[in-house]
Structures are given as C-alpha cells and as structure tokens.
Amino acid sequence: MYPGGNNNYHYQNQAYGIPSKSPPPLQHPVPQHPIPDFGKAIPPTSSPGLNNQQHYQYNQKMQSSLHQQSPMMHSMQQQPTYDPNAYTHSATPQQNNIYSQFGFDDPAAQMGMQFAGSAMAQGSAYVEKNFNRWVNIPALRHYFNVSNSYVLNKVRLLLFPWKNSSWNRLIMRSETGQMEGFKPPREDLNSPDLYIPVMALVTYVLLCGLTAGIHKSFHPEMLYLSATTSMAVLFWEIVYTRLGCYFLSIPFEASMLDLVCYYGYKFVAIIVTDISRLILGTGYGSWLVFFYTGMSMSFFLLRSMRYVILPDAAAGPSTLNPQRKRRMWFLLTIAALQIFYMFFLIN
C-alpha cells in the first residue's frame, strides 16, 4: 500500500508538525478486551490529509497499547486477577459470621446486635463487680471442686461415719513450705463442700412435693414453704454457732461457708428417712432409720467440727481447763440438736 513496504511512511513524512517518536506510554488501566482493528473498516476517502490523519490515530493507538502491555504482562501473571465482585457483600467471607447465621443480614440489624452485645458485656461486668463485694467467687469454686468418686465416698461417710479413722483435713503448702489453706474436696474427703448440701436441699424440697402429691394434698406453696423453712433452720444454726463462739471466747478461724456445708449435710439423712417412710410407712422401721441417720449426723458433726469449736485440740492435755470443758459441752449440744432439727424438717 505504501512505498517501500513501510506502513509508517505517511506517519514519518507527514507535514503536521508531529514528532517522529511516539509519546511516552500513559498509565491507563489494562484493556480487558482486545482492541479491534478499525483501520480495515474505514472506507478510503479522496482526501489525502484525512486518510493520513486516520492512519496516524490508528498507529498511535496500536503503539500505546503495545507499550502498555509489554511491561505489564509479567506483573499481571504475579498479581491476582481483578474480580469485580471481590468487595461486594455476596462474596465477602463475612457472610458466614454469627449475625448471618441467624438471618441478620441487614447492616442496621447487625449494628443493633453489636450494641446489644456490648451492653450485655458491660452489664455482666457491673453485676460481677458488685456481686464480688458480698460473695467470694474463688471461694465458691473451691467448695464446688468435687468429683464423682468424692461424692460417693462422702455420702458413704455421712451414713457410716464410724468407719472413718482419720478426720484431719489435708493442708496445702507452697514451695517454701508455708501454709496456703486446705486442699479442695476433690483431693480431701474430710474437706467440706457445697455441692452435696445444695443438691440435697433441692432433692428434699422436691421430695416434700412428691410426698404431698401421694397423699392428695399437694399445693405449689408447699415447695416454697419447704425451701424457706430449710433455709431458716440453716440460718438459725449458723447464728447459734456464732453466738456460742462469741460468748465462749472461741477464736473462729473457719469460714462461714464451712458452717453452711456442715449443717447442710443433714439433708442427706433427711432424704434417706423420707424415702424409708414412703417405702415402709410410719411404722417402727422408719423410726429406726430416723434414729440411725440422726446419730450418724451427730457423730459426723462431733468429729468434723472439732477444729472449729476446739481449735487448740492439738495442744495436748495441758488445755484441760474449765473453759475447754465448756467448749466441749457446746460442741456436744450442736451435735445433739441435729436430731431435733431433722425431726422438725421431716414432719
């Protein structure tokens, strides 16, 4: 078409003042589709100036596209392909978050859920902060640190306390040999726990409702009455023990939760007595079970609470004085009153 087979003949010899070198490549996005050849579709015209201008525009487009594609081919092979849906909501990995699982795809609903979650977290932190002022949470964890074997052995100890030979609690010491407290119930059978008293109290309340239902006299208020009466008895026992220690000048080194544990064990004996009354009736058999379980609880408290009422028991016979005798009588009174409390709660 052009002399010498050079396609850029008109481009090199045109008189429009355009330099012979192509302009530097522009940093435009890489074309996603091949550029069609518009030169073949342009019909020939009679004006030579217009034909030269069209060829110049076509050559300029081709050279700029070649300059742009050649240095960027290597970088395109290393970079991931552009995905137009990569930043849309349907393709984000957050679709499987906790809000989308429950159907909260609306941004306003997600914002509301986040606000409610933060409010609940602040509320729980406030309640825990103020609740710790009255209740020692780590201490409660210590009393509930039990195992299945401990529960079975403890119930057997409550029903057959005369078979136990050692009543001393195991001491937990630090690496330097200093005393850090007593071992948890899981590791010491003589350690008091709150799991058995709490479960026994709940079972006792339900058993009262079952007994009333068998006798056709059940009413929902009976459950409330049984629970409040049991708690009132426990509260009175704790007050009686604290007053006795105060008037007898007994240094009370035990925890209040220890008293709750020891006085709550009586509900295990009450449950056994109630079950025997349901099976055997109100005859001599149920009374024999009642006296046996009452004596068992009295003997258990007599041996277990010795370190509470008689903290100087390991000092030897030199402490046999009138004050110590009064303390021993006080301990015997606490043990003997267990039979009276059991009789009151059973009936």
Side-chain angles (χ1 to χ4, degrees):
M1 180 182 296
Y2 300 102
N6 188 2
N7 294 332
N8 297 330
Y9 174 77
H10 292 279
Y11 169 71
Q12 297 173 357
N13 296 283
Q14 58 187 348
Y16 296 101
I18 299 177
S20 61
K21 294 183 179 180
S22 60
L26 301 177
Q27 299 298 329
H28 292 289
V30 180
Q32 299 294 325
H33 303 284
I35 299 177
D37 189 2
F38 296 100
K40 297 180 180 180
I42 298 176
T45 57
S46 58
S47 176
L50 183 61
N51 191 13
N52 294 337
Q53 184 179 3
Q54 290 176 353
H55 280 287
Y56 164 72
Q57 293 177 355
Y58 169 72
N59 293 334
Q60 186 178 9
K61 290 180 181 179
M62 290 296 297
Q63 290 179 3
S64 61
S65 62
L66 289 176
H67 281 288
Q68 291 176 3
Q69 291 181 0
S70 57
M72 297 181 64
M73 289 299 295
H74 182 68
S75 61
M76 289 178 61
Q77 293 177 359
Q78 296 179 353
Q79 297 179 355
T81 308
Y82 171 74
D83 188 3
N85 297 324
Y87 300 96
T88 59
H89 178 72
S90 59
T92 55
Q94 298 179 354
Q95 186 178 3
N96 297 324
N97 57 10
I98 186 172
Y99 303 110
S100 299
Q101 292 178 0
F102 293 96
F104 295 103
D105 294 332
D106 189 9
Q110 294 183 8
M111 184 180 298
M113 291 294 296
Q114 292 178 359
F115 178 76
S118 61
M120 288 293 295
Q122 294 178 1
S124 61
Y126 177 79
V127 171
E128 184 178 358
K129 179 181 179 181
N130 291 271
F131 186 72
N132 289 335
R133 296 179 181 178
W134 306 99
V135 180
N136 191 358
I137 301 299
L140 287 178
R141 293 184 185 139
H142 171 83
Y143 287 98
F144 282 95
N145 187 9
V146 299
S147 60
N148 295 331
S149 60
Y150 167 82
V151 173
L152 294 177
N153 294 329
K154 192 72 172 187
V155 172
R156 185 176 59 183
L157 177 63
L158 294 174
L159 299 178
F160 307 99
W162 15 79
K163 292 185 177 181
N164 192 21
S165 58
S166 177
W167 294 89
N168 297 325
R169 297 183 61 178
L170 300 179
I171 298 175
M172 184 170 52
R173 299 185 181 276
S174 62
E175 297 179 356
T176 59
Q178 297 180 356
M179 179 180 175
E180 294 184 348
F182 297 101
K183 290 188 176 181
R186 181 188 293 268
E187 303 176 6
D188 185 12
L189 183 61
N190 296 323
S191 178
D193 70 283
L194 280 174
Y195 177 79
I196 294 178
V198 170
M199 294 295 105
L201 177 60
V202 174
T203 306
Y204 164 73
V205 173
L206 297 178
L207 194 59
C208 290
L210 177 62
T211 305
I214 293 176
H215 293 88
K216 308 296 183 181
S217 60
F218 174 77
H219 195 273
E221 293 182 357
M222 296 187 63
L223 301 178
Y224 171 76
L225 181 62
S226 301
T228 53
T229 304
S230 303
M231 294 180 181
V233 170
L234 290 176
F235 179 75
W236 163 249
E237 288 186 275
I238 294 174
V239 171
Y240 176 76
T241 304
R242 293 289 293 168
L243 289 176
C245 293
Y246 174 76
F247 287 113
L248 294 176
S249 300
I250 301 175
F252 190 81
E253 299 178 356
S255 173
M256 295 293 293
L257 294 177
D258 289 350
L259 298 181
V260 176
C261 297
Y262 287 129
Y263 293 144
Y265 285 138
K266 71 168 62 66
F267 291 101
V268 176
I270 294 174
I271 291 172
V272 175
T273 305
D274 285 341
I275 293 175
S276 65
R277 293 183 65 179
L278 290 176
I279 298 176
L280 303 176
T282 57
Y284 293 103
S286 60
W287 282 105
L288 288 176
V289 174
F290 167 73
F291 282 112
Y292 174 80
T293 54
M295 293 296 295
S296 299
M297 288 304 306
S298 298
F299 183 79
F300 173 80
L301 286 182
L302 190 64
R303 299 302 303 269
S304 298
M305 293 189 61
R306 189 176 181 181
Y307 80 98
V308 179
I309 307 302
L310 304 174
D312 54 351
S318 60
T319 58
L320 291 178
N321 49 39
Q323 185 179 8
R324 179 176 173 81
K325 290 181 180 180
R326 287 193 297 266
R327 294 178 181 180
M328 293 181 64
W329 279 108
F330 178 62
L331 179 59
L332 289 173
T333 304
I334 293 176
L337 285 176
Q338 297 303 309
I339 300 178
F340 172 75
Y341 296 140
M342 288 177 58
F343 180 80
F344 174 74
L345 291 174
I346 289 174
N347 293 278

